[in-house]
Amino acid sequence: MSRTTIADVAREAGVTKATVSHALSGNRPISEETRAKVLAAAEKLNWVPSQSARALATRRANAVAVVLARDPEVIANDSFFPAFIAGVESVLTETETALILQVVPDREAEERAYRALTHGRADGALLLDLRDDDWRVPFLDDLGLPTVLVGAYEQPTAFSCVRTDDAAPVREIITHLRDAGHERIAHVSGPLDYVHSRARADAYIATMGDDTLLREGDFTAASGRALTEELLALPQRPTAIVYSNDTMAIAGLSFARSQGLVIPDDLAISGFDDDHLSAHLSPALTSVSSDPAARGRAAARLLRADILGAHPRTEIVDCNVVHFRESTAAPSAAPPTVSRRTP
């Protein structure tokens, strides 16, 4: 198949090639109706200008960015990030767009990074690790940088958003544990200022009612081990622990076994994000596959459209699947793996 060209876009929109160029560059006055027709045609044909043409006509960088204010250790050990980036790259390669990944230590450095992006380094950004009342959302809006929010951001925003349901899998796991006879069920969350950690913790609290044992972790193995030790030292220890990621869950499982507990007979354990090792542990770990690659693809597609001038929109990615494995089986009745798609 031949590569889509500006002539194809012009033919689809019913305008001249010059009009397509002017509509995208903004260097000549073009009616909103005509510009909308050009953008719709470009999106339909999955077309953006070549890198050289874009640089000349629109002064774009042909790059998008992800800025992460996280401990590099967490990034290195969290299975979400490489899969998400792979999904993003699978879309960006279609238009030879580069991905800039920058890790920063604090807010001041993060602000500098975003300001630098607006000076020709990138055409847009993907915003991860969303927080309640996230300062970055109005900040990026003021900078005028096209941005896609990855997460269930609840505040008003002019940006496109990729959303998933982080609450339903937690409710499903707790229901499964209760059906197996567990009443003392604890939850080790991620940082509660993250919207996805809060959504999981809120689902746990709402499902458990007054019988809650919530501990806030930071997604590291160290916090998973330390909080498991704290919970197991309680006079009435939990008989099940639901962790907010697999790294903490695996560390907790290892510590529990070092104390002589049998999983799941003495303690049931579940994780989140379904690390590639989780199904191969002994016992295999119940977890939630969240398909970060699918979220990455959706975010990159939305950002590409936004850079071309499309109206912001929200896309819901139905990707969370609970994989029930031996680590949450009823005592002495470990069933084979069952996968269920959350409603």
Side-chain angles (χ1 to χ4, degrees):
M1 295 179 62
S2 61
R3 184 166 181 159
T4 302
T5 67
I6 191 172
D8 298 321
V9 177
R11 189 161 42 251
E12 176 70 26
V15 299
T16 66
K17 289 191 293 182
T19 299
V20 173
S21 179
H22 297 330
L24 295 176
S25 68
N27 293 333
R28 299 283 183 87
I30 296 291
S31 72
E32 285 302 314
E33 181 181 358
T34 300
R35 187 168 185 272
K37 287 168 57 178
V38 170
L39 293 173
E43 185 171 1
K44 178 180 178 180
L45 298 176
N46 200 29
W47 177 85
V48 295
S50 68
Q51 184 170 356
S52 58
R54 177 184 296 179
L56 291 171
T58 66
R59 299 182 179 87
R60 291 195 182 123
N62 204 31
V64 299
V66 175
V67 180
L68 295 174
R70 271 206 187 202
D71 184 336
E73 178 189 349
V74 175
I75 298 172
N77 292 294
D78 195 323
S79 61
F80 173 88
F81 291 105
F84 177 83
I85 289 171
V88 171
E89 289 281 20
S90 70
V91 173
L92 298 185
T93 54
E94 297 172 2
T95 54
E96 299 180 354
T97 301
L99 175 64
I100 299 170
L101 175 62
Q102 184 171 352
V103 178
V104 295
D106 51 40
R107 174 169 175 168
E108 184 178 345
E110 196 169 4
E111 289 185 8
R112 287 197 304 271
Y114 285 125
R115 288 195 181 95
L117 296 179
T118 64
H119 290 101
R121 289 194 64 201
D123 304 315
L126 301 173
L127 196 61
L128 284 77
D129 289 340
L130 292 171
R131 297 167 174 83
D132 297 323
D133 297 320
D134 200 311
W135 64 267
R136 299 172 298 172
V137 177
F139 181 78
L140 288 168
D141 196 11
D142 288 342
L143 289 177
L145 186 69
T147 301
V148 171
L149 312 182
V150 182
Y153 189 70
E154 301 296 345
Q155 306 300 321
T157 176
F159 291 138
S160 290
C161 186
V162 174
R163 299 174 62 103
T164 56
D165 186 350
D166 281 299
V170 174
R171 292 193 296 266
E172 187 176 354
I173 290 170
I174 292 173
T175 298
H176 173 78
L177 290 170
R178 281 179 160 173
D179 289 345
H182 295 279
E183 297 179 356
R184 296 275 292 174
I185 303 172
H187 177 50
V188 176
S189 74
L192 290 174
D193 59 336
Y194 289 159
V195 295
H196 61 287
S197 295
R198 172 58 65 182
R200 297 170 196 177
D202 285 348
Y204 164 76
I205 293 168
T207 307
M208 291 297 298
D210 295 331
D211 300 320
T212 59
L213 288 171
L214 175 64
R215 298 293 186 273
E216 183 178 3
D218 62 7
F219 291 132
T220 65
S223 74
R225 178 184 174 88
L227 293 173
T228 303
E229 182 176 9
E230 178 183 324
L231 287 166
L232 295 183
L234 294 174
Q236 288 186 292
R237 68 168 180 82
T239 61
I241 305 177
V242 177
Y243 297 82
S244 200
N245 78 342
D246 280 10
T247 299
M248 294 190 297
I250 292 170
L253 184 151
S254 177
F255 176 79
R257 292 186 65 174
S258 74
Q259 301 304 298
L261 298 182
V262 176
I263 312 298
D265 289 19
D266 300 320
L267 180 70
I269 287 177
S270 71
F272 210 106
D273 287 336
D274 203 26
D275 183 276
H276 65 285
L277 292 176
S278 297
H280 304 287
L281 298 174
S282 181
L285 179 67
T286 288
S287 191
V288 181
S289 61
S290 55
D291 201 349
R295 285 189 266 181
R297 290 191 296 270
R301 286 194 301 266
L302 285 176
L303 185 56
R304 183 170 62 184
D306 290 351
I307 290 169
L308 286 172
H311 292 295
R313 62 188 187 275
T314 293
E315 182 172 334
I316 298 174
V317 181
D318 181 16
C319 58
N320 286 334
V321 179
V322 181
H323 297 278
F324 289 105
R325 301 187 178 108
E326 289 87 344
S327 68
T328 58
S332 303
T337 298
V338 177
S339 298
R340 302 178 187 170
R341 181 168 294 279
T342 58

